[in-house]
Amino acid sequence: MGEIRNFRSGNQNEPPSHGAMPRRLAAIIVGDIASYSRLMQADEEGTHVRVKRIERDLIEPSIVEHHGSLVKTTGDGFIAIFDSPVEAVRCSIVIQQNLIGRNASLPKHSRIEYRIGVNLGDVIIEPDDVYGDGVNIATRIEGIAEPGQVYISGAIYEQIKHKVVCGYEALGDRKVKNITDPVRIYRVLPDADAVGGTRGRRENTLIFLLSLTLLVSAAGVLWYLLAQPPGKGSEQAATPTASPVASPVQQPPARESAVPTPQPSPSLASPAPPAPTPTPSQSPTPASEPDMTAIRGGSFTMGSNDDPTERPVHQVAIKPFSISKYPVTVREWNECAAAKACGFTAIGKDDAPVTNVSWTDAQQYAAWLAQATKKPYRLPSEAEWEYAARGGTQSKYWWGDKLQPGMAGCKDCGDAAAEQPSKVGSFKPNPFGLYDMGGGVDQWVADCWHRTFQGAPNDGSAWSGGDCSSHVLRSGSWKNDSRYVRPSNRDGYDTNVRYPTHGFRVALGP
């Protein structure tokens, strides 16, 4: 995920040292865990472990991915600074949305939820801390925020309002402690449904008030007409040339004209039977199968000594199987979404790899493809993935021990940094004819996450025991550096959490 600049926790009781200290304008994120004391009282050791894991697996990588710097962690929170307000808010949204996935299976009283405040301001930077009103305001905004929410200052809002695809709810000006002027605050609404819900509530209120006004007006008019002497109202309603009898004579036609209006409704409803034109969904078109490559069985040396998670190096026997030549594409994924078997419609070019999928999403696609084709599609095991990625080699990369430009899609693999991964097949295939088996998108495999290979199966099967709240990712992504595109590189991530660099490919076999 890149390097994190680690600031040592500063002493809050010590003022900044005298002398000219560097100042800069920065977007500041302050995060704090809601009900931290209660969580620690209920399970001190367990809470500490969970918080540290969230910091390691979510908060720190998210800050780096969005080009920020972690200033310090505070036990129950963190402070980070960014050059870009846009990246600061995006990072905050990613953290909160990923925490929703982590908390989904937990009872409410056990959930770790952060309040996040973001502000833009002038700060004083020291080697181990940051100071200034900019930090103080971010801290006060965080204190106002609801658990699981991101609140931002007006200064941040003015910088991002047309740049970040989300909604904002104005909360007005708030007086905050030790800050002279009131601070304008907004709540970030990252979910389109939430935006619509907020607007809907406001619109419903306005409609109710308008309806109430019209009802009162109509009641007043009716009372006025009923209060008139007999004949006076009809005289006022009639034209000067019409007799008083003319007005009541014209009333029934108005009612009669209302009677025929229901008549057309059956005729309008009768063309509705053609609406069963959506019935094609009852006879779905066959699923487009991915381009599969047959892999001969064999044995290989799995793992490396480059990282503790890749040890111990061990021999694994692999049975023959097939694996998709490319990662699953947006077009292939959207066939599953159109069949209502996958949870969302992916955006992007048809030949780009699908991204932002969780392990559960990948399993849903494989299950749908297996059912639609009557073939045993599945996710590859971790051993199968590495065997296929190596392509019969045992070098650091499949092409050799040194990085070569143009061989993989990663941050320092030779191409300029990109906002999105390249289309599948943009780089050379490995000796097995497989594309993007390093870089491009992180790829889910079937195995549950284990911190090392100690006790791993040696028959190529998926390792299903242990902590299955996380599963294994392989390949590295276009956002990572070249260390992550090694065939032996491995990482773990939460099973039910989507992340923008995560994709997958499928396997077919025994």
Side-chain angles (χ1 to χ4, degrees):
M1 294 289 187
E3 298 298 327
I4 297 174
R5 181 182 175 189
N6 288 314
F7 291 77
R8 296 185 304 277
S9 296
N11 189 337
Q12 297 283 0
N13 297 322
E14 292 181 5
S17 56
H18 297 288
M21 299 301 298
R23 282 183 173 270
R24 58 174 281 197
L25 186 67
I28 309 108
I29 291 180
V30 175
D32 181 73
I33 298 172
S35 304
Y36 180 73
S37 299
R38 177 180 57 78
L39 291 167
M40 288 293 284
Q41 186 175 10
D43 181 9
E44 185 176 65
E45 185 175 341
T47 298
H48 177 74
V49 169
R50 290 168 62 202
V51 169
K52 288 301 177 185
R53 184 178 181 188
I54 289 171
E55 290 175 354
R56 184 193 72 230
D57 296 345
L58 173 59
I59 292 173
E60 292 178 359
S62 296
I63 291 170
V64 172
E65 289 284 348
H66 293 85
H67 315 294
S69 297
L70 178 65
V71 176
K72 63 180 180 180
T73 57
T74 58
D76 62 343
F78 66 94
I79 298 177
I81 56 175
F82 296 76
D83 291 329
S84 164
V86 170
E87 294 291 353
V89 174
R90 284 178 176 165
C91 179
S92 302
I93 292 170
V94 166
I95 289 172
Q96 295 291 39
Q97 290 186 328
N98 276 269
L99 283 169
I100 290 171
R102 286 173 177 261
N103 287 326
S105 61
L106 297 175
K108 188 169 180 63
H109 67 272
S110 298
R111 296 175 182 175
I112 293 179
E113 295 181 302
Y114 280 77
R115 297 182 294 252
I116 292 181
V118 190
N119 181 46
L120 180 67
D122 198 48
V123 296
I124 301 170
I125 300 177
E126 284 203 328
D128 57 358
D129 212 339
V130 290
Y131 300 89
D133 278 351
V135 180
N136 296 337
I137 292 172
T139 302
R140 303 305 180 199
I141 294 173
E142 171 270 308
I144 295 170
E146 296 292 327
Q149 300 289 331
V150 177
Y151 282 20
I152 61 175
S153 66
I156 288 285
Y157 172 77
E158 291 300 325
Q159 296 295 318
I160 71 167
K161 58 184 177 182
H162 300 306
K163 300 174 184 176
V164 180
V165 183
C166 59
Y168 309 95
E169 182 180 8
L171 302 179
D173 293 342
R174 301 285 185 92
K175 187 79 174 75
V176 296
K177 185 178 179 181
N178 296 333
I179 302 299
T180 304
D181 298 324
V183 178
R184 178 154 296 180
I185 296 175
Y186 295 82
R187 180 166 71 100
V188 176
L189 305 169
D191 185 1
D193 293 337
V195 178
T198 302
R199 290 175 179 171
R201 288 193 298 270
R202 292 174 178 172
E203 289 170 0
N204 289 340
T205 303
L206 290 172
I207 291 171
F208 172 76
L209 292 174
L210 181 60
S211 301
L212 186 62
T213 303
L214 292 173
L215 186 61
V216 170
S217 300
V221 171
L222 182 61
W223 175 86
Y224 174 78
L225 292 174
L226 292 175
Q228 298 301 312
K232 185 173 181 181
S234 58
E235 287 173 7
Q236 291 177 344
T239 58
T241 57
S243 67
V245 185
S247 64
V249 172
Q250 289 178 341
Q251 294 277 14
R255 289 181 183 176
E256 289 171 7
S257 65
V259 175
T261 47
Q263 248 65 19
S265 63
S267 62
L268 288 173
S270 57
T277 40
T279 48
S281 62
Q282 297 174 357
S283 56
T285 55
S288 300
E289 295 186 59
D291 192 354
M292 304 298 288
T293 299
I295 307 295
R296 291 183 298 177
S299 64
F300 79 111
T301 302
M302 185 173 181
S304 80
N305 290 313
D306 292 342
D307 188 272
T309 64
E310 301 165 18
R311 302 173 192 156
V313 175
H314 56 293
Q315 286 293 122
V316 179
I318 300 293
K319 298 175 183 177
F321 70 105
S322 295
I323 191 167
S324 54
K325 184 177 290 188
Y326 312 102
V328 171
T329 64
V330 168
R331 177 183 59 80
E332 291 166 340
W333 173 270
N334 282 343
E335 287 185 11
C336 177
K340 303 292 189 281
C342 288
F344 65 94
T345 300
I347 59 173
K349 296 182 179 179
D350 283 351
D351 56 1
V354 67
T355 57
N356 205 33
V357 296
S358 67
W359 183 86
T360 304
D361 292 329
Q363 285 284 59
Q364 288 176 348
Y365 175 87
W368 166 78
L369 189 61
Q371 183 179 21
T373 61
K374 309 302 181 188
K375 296 179 182 179
Y377 281 101
R378 56 180 174 81
L379 293 182
S381 71
E382 185 175 13
E384 287 173 335
W385 194 97
E386 184 170 332
Y387 180 72
R390 288 186 177 278
T393 70
Q394 286 296 146
S395 49
K396 185 173 183 178
Y397 307 99
W398 63 257
W399 58 82
D401 288 325
K402 292 186 177 179
L403 184 66
Q404 295 179 19
M407 302 299 283
C410 74
K411 192 164 61 175
D412 57 353
C413 287
D415 290 338
E419 288 299 317
Q420 298 294 331
S422 303
K423 69 177 184 178
V424 298
S426 295
F427 301 93
K428 292 181 180 179
N430 74 0
F432 282 175
L434 302 173
Y435 293 83
D436 308 316
M437 293 296 281
V441 290
D442 298 299
Q443 296 171 33
W444 289 109
V445 295
D447 303 49
C448 299
W449 170 247
H450 297 79
R451 296 187 64 84
T452 71
F453 282 136
Q454 193 68 46
N458 59 9
D459 61 357
S461 61
W463 196 1
S464 57
D467 179 14
C468 284
S469 62
S470 298
H471 279 78
V472 177
L473 284 163
R474 288 303 199 113
S475 176
S477 80
W478 83 98
K479 289 283 192 179
N480 297 134
D481 61 48
S482 57
R483 293 174 299 166
Y484 291 80
V485 306
R486 296 176 298 110
S488 60
N489 177 71
R490 58 195 299 267
D491 202 352
Y493 204 78
D494 298 78
T495 300
N496 297 313
V497 177
R498 294 169 180 162
Y499 194 74
T501 64
H502 295 173
F504 67 103
R505 65 177 73 217
V506 292
L508 183 63

